[in-house]
Amino acid sequence: AQSVTQLGSHVSVSEGALVLLRCNYSSSVPPYLFWYVQYPNQGLQLLLKYTSAATLVKGINGFEAEFKKSETSFHLTKPSAHMSDAAEYFCAVSGRGYSTLTFGKGTMLLVSP
Amino acid sequence: ETGVTQTPRHLVMGMTNKKSLKCEQHLGHNAMYWYKQSAKKPLELMFVYNFKEQTENNSVPSRFSPECPNSSHLFLHLHTLQPEDSALYLCASSQEISGVHEQFFGPGTRLTVL
């Protein structure tokens, strides 16, 4: 069984500030982990993924995430927020050979000028 | 067309209507998915097709009926829906590479049931 917990349904930051979106997972198999972003009225777009190679994963738009097995975490960060980062972010977990993803409830990122 | 496309983008229907949602993937993938996204709820996986065969049905009511005629097309047939079925319906596709299924999503169909 797999599950994902995203702490905070909303996170607010100022433009230029650090972005930190939290994700903790539970998995009975070695996990594969994903972060997706969803802009209003659009589908989900993959930001980055962890598939058991490097624990620090770099994605698009300056985002990165670090897999920490001891903490069962995969938090998403960006050093400096832009207004265009305002969107909803979803963390998801899967496993080797599993075609299905289990998603968290999502975190809405709000960026103020 | 590239990626995953969905039509229509918006749909309003009454509870007695019958309508269909269409999804097409142009990525050469062999797995396709339907998800339901409601406000304040996690994404709910509805159906999974691998090589046109349904491999997962997450206790979805029979008023939702999927159809996968080939590995590029996926339909969701709707009939006698309820207002609580109003949601964004997302289609996705994937191809296993080294054990990883990275899913690519379409833009969704916003469904409103009156």
Side-chain angles (χ1 to χ4, degrees), chain A residues 3-4 6 15 18 23 25-26 33 38 41 51 55 59 65 68-69 77-79 82 87 101 109 113:
Chain A
S3 67
V4 173
Q6 290 184 243
E15 194 172 19
L18 171 71
C23 172
Y25 70 91
S26 171
L33 293 154
Q38 186 178 31
N41 301 312
T51 57
T55 56
K68 291 187 177 181
K69 183 178 179 179
T77 60
K78 182 173 179 177
H82 292 184
L101 293 173
L109 177 64

Side-chain angles (χ1 to χ4, degrees), chain A residues 52-94:
Chain A
S52 74
T55 56
L56 181 62
V57 181
K58 294 188 184 299
I60 62 172
N61 301 339
F63 284 94
E64 63 181 38
E66 186 172 8
F67 172 69
K68 291 187 177 181
K69 183 178 179 179
S70 60
E71 298 177 9
T72 60
S73 69
F74 191 56
H75 302 327
L76 182 70
T77 60
K78 182 173 179 177
S80 176
H82 292 184
M83 297 294 291
S84 60
D85 294 328
E88 191 158 22
Y89 292 79
F90 293 90
C91 182
V93 65
S94 182

Side-chain angles (χ1 to χ4, degrees), chain A residues 32 34 36 38 41-44 46 49 51 90 95-101 103 105, chain B residues 9 33 35 37 42-43 45 48 50 56 88 90 98-103 105-107:
Chain A
Y32 293 157
F34 304 80
Y36 283 86
Q38 186 178 31
N41 301 312
Q42 295 188 27
L44 276 67
L46 183 70
K49 62 186 176 189
T51 57
F90 293 90
R96 184 174 184 84
Y98 282 61
S99 62
T100 57
L101 293 173
F103 284 88
K105 291 186 178 181
Chain B
R9 293 294 309 277
Y33 313 77
Y35 288 88
Q37 187 177 31
L43 272 159
L45 178 65
V48 181
N50 275 291
E56 191 148 344
L88 182 68
L90 292 165
S98 300
V100 182
H101 277 263
E102 178 184 324
Q103 293 186 19
F105 285 80

Side-chain angles (χ1 to χ4, degrees), chain B residues 1-113:
Chain B
E1 294 277 17
T2 59
V4 181
T5 57
Q6 290 187 243
T7 54
R9 293 294 309 277
H10 299 272
L11 178 63
V12 179
M13 58 187 289
M15 289 191 284
T16 58
N17 292 158
K18 288 185 181 181
K19 295 287 185 183
S20 296
L21 309 184
K22 179 183 175 183
C23 174
E24 184 173 1
Q25 60 96 358
H26 310 267
L27 300 168
H29 290 170
N30 58 19
M32 296 188 77
Y33 313 77
W34 278 117
Y35 288 88
K36 177 183 178 183
Q37 187 177 31
S38 306
K40 300 184 180 179
K41 279 187 168 184
L43 272 159
E44 299 173 61
L45 178 65
M46 301 174 73
F47 301 104
V48 181
Y49 278 82
N50 275 291
F51 294 102
K52 304 186 298 177
E53 299 297 321
Q54 188 179 127
T55 58
E56 191 148 344
N57 174 340
N58 278 353
S59 303
V60 179
S62 60
R63 56 186 184 270
F64 295 92
S65 174
E67 178 190 0
C68 188
N70 55 60
S71 57
S72 298
H73 294 85
L74 185 63
F75 295 89
L76 189 62
H77 303 300
L78 316 171
H79 64 97
T80 59
L81 294 191
Q82 304 298 311
E84 59 265 28
D85 297 322
S86 298
L88 182 68
Y89 288 85
L90 292 165
C91 175
S93 70
S94 73
Q95 178 77 32
E96 181 177 345
I97 300 176
S98 300
V100 182
H101 277 263
E102 178 184 324
Q103 293 186 19
F104 291 77
F105 285 80
T109 295
R110 174 69 63 185
L111 174 67
T112 303
V113 181

